[in-house]
Amino acid sequence: MKYKCQVCGYVYNPEVGNPGNGISPGTAFADLPDDWVCPVCGATKDEFKPEV
């Protein structure tokens, strides 16, 4: 499932991960570190909602 930042619209796709920030492809959103932030705007994980 993809998660969308409610602040800027960035979509975290677990199939892609976030390699620029050390997150390997295949990393589920729930498995992201608690201190992970949106790579675009810096929003925290609680600003993300599942994309429908």
Side-chain angles (χ1 to χ4, degrees):
M1 178 179 296
K2 297 176 185 176
Y3 283 78
K4 185 175 185 178
C5 177
Q6 300 300 294
V7 176
C8 73
Y10 168 81
V11 176
Y12 176 77
N13 181 347
E15 292 179 10
V16 176
N18 184 216
N21 289 315
I23 307 298
S24 301
T27 303
F29 187 80
D31 294 335
L32 292 172
D34 289 338
D35 62 351
W36 181 85
V37 295
C38 176
V40 175
C41 72
T44 57
K45 281 177 68 176
D46 63 346
E47 295 289 345
F48 281 74
K49 303 278 188 226
E51 189 173 54
V52 186

